[in-house]
C-alpha cells in the first residue's frame, strides 16, 4: 500500500458487486480472526456478510477506492433492516421515518492490506453526513466485535450485546450501538457530499 495514495469515496454501483463479493470475505477472514472462531467466520460469510444490493440501488452504499481499486466499503440505510447481505434479507424492507426512527449504519468492510488507515472513518463520515442531509437525528448499527472500536471512536455507545443466530445453529456475538447524528465532537463534522452535484 502506498501511504501517499489518495482515497476517493463514491457511491457504489451494481457493477461493483462482483468485486465486493471478493472483498467482503477477504476482509472478514483476516480482520475477524482474533475475535471469532474459523467456523463462526465461515458461517457468517455464508449466511450474513455480503452486499445488500438494495442499499446500492438506494444510493446509500459507498466504496473507497485507490487508483480505481476498491479498498473498502460501507453505507447507511433509510430502511428497516439492521444488518446482513442479500442472502438474509426479508422480502420487504420498508422505509424508516426520520422523525422517529434511527438511520442504519451498514456493512463496513476494509481490504486487510488497507486496514487501520482511516478508510472506515472516511466512509463513516460520508454516511453520517448523508443521513443528516436526509433529516435523520439518530443512528443505529449492529457492530461485529472487530468493528466496535471504530464506531466507539465516532461516538457510538453500546446499548445491547447479543448472539446473532446463524441458520446452522452457531451464533455470532455482536453489539447494537447508537448515537445522535450530531454529537458535537470532531468526528461528526460535516464533510463534502460523495454524491455527484
Amino acid at each position: 500500500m502506498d501511504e501517499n495514495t489518495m482515497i476517493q469515496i463514491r457511491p457504489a454501483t451494481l457493477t461493483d458487486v462482483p468485486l465486493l463479493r471478493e472483498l467482503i470475505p477477504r476482509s472478514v477472514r483476516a480482520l475477524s480472526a482474533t475475535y471469532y472462531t474459523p467456523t463462526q467466520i465461515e458461517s457468517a460469510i455464508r449466511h450474513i456478510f455480503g452486499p445488500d444490493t438494495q442499499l446500492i440501488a438506494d444510493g446509500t452504499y459507498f466504496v473507497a477506492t485507490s487508483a480505481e481499486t476498491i479498498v473498502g466499503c460501507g453505507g447507511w440505510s433509510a430502511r428497516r433492516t439492521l444488518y446482513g447481505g442479500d442472502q438474509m434479507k426479508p422480502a420487504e424492507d420498508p422505509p424508516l421515518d426520520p422523525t422517529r426512527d434511527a438511520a442504519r449504519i451498514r456493512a463496513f468492510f476494509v481490504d486487510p492490506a488497507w486496514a487501520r488507515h482511516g478508510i472506515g472513518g472516511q466512509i463513516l463520515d460520508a454516511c453520517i453526513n448523508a443521513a443528516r442531509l436526509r433529516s435523520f437525528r439518530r443512528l443505529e448499527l449492529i457492530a461485529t466485535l472487530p468493528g466496535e472500536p471504530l464506531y466507539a471512536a465516532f461516538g457510538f455507545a453500546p446499548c445491547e450485546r447479543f448472539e446473532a443466530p446463524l441458520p446452522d445453529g452457531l451464533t455470532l456475538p455482536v453489539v447494537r450501538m447508537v448515537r445522535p447524528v450530531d454529537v458535537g465532537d470532531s468526528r461528526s463534522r460535516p464533510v463534502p457530499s460523495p454524491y455527484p452535484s
Side-chain angles (χ1 to χ4, degrees), residues 45-176:
I45 289 170
R46 180 178 179 188
H47 298 295
I48 296 178
F49 299 133
D52 180 341
T53 51
Q54 181 66 65
L55 299 185
I56 296 174
D58 288 345
T60 62
Y61 201 66
F62 303 116
V63 293
T65 63
S66 171
E68 300 187 10
T69 298
I70 295 176
V71 296
C73 56
W76 74 282
S77 178
R79 295 180 182 273
R80 193 148 308 276
T81 296
L82 265 170
Y83 67 95
D86 286 345
Q87 69 269 45
M88 66 165 291
K89 284 286 293 287
E92 300 213 2
D93 195 1
L96 299 166
D97 179 348
T99 66
R100 66 171 189 262
D101 298 322
R104 311 323 196 190
I105 298 296
R106 300 279 313 279
F108 273 59
F109 303 96
V110 174
D111 186 309
W114 290 80
R116 297 173 186 85
H117 288 86
I119 291 171
Q122 289 182 58
I123 298 171
L124 191 50
D125 268 336
C127 293
I128 293 169
N129 193 51
R132 179 187 295 113
L133 292 173
R134 291 276 294 275
S135 301
F136 281 93
R137 297 181 296 220
R138 294 181 299 118
L139 303 167
E140 181 177 2
L141 60 86
I142 301 296
T144 59
L145 300 185
E148 183 179 1
L150 167 68
Y151 301 120
F154 275 74
F156 284 86
C159 59
E160 179 187 11
R161 295 182 183 274
F162 65 97
E163 303 275 333
L166 296 163
D168 53 15
L170 296 174
T171 61
L172 195 73
V174 294
V175 187
R176 189 166 71 91

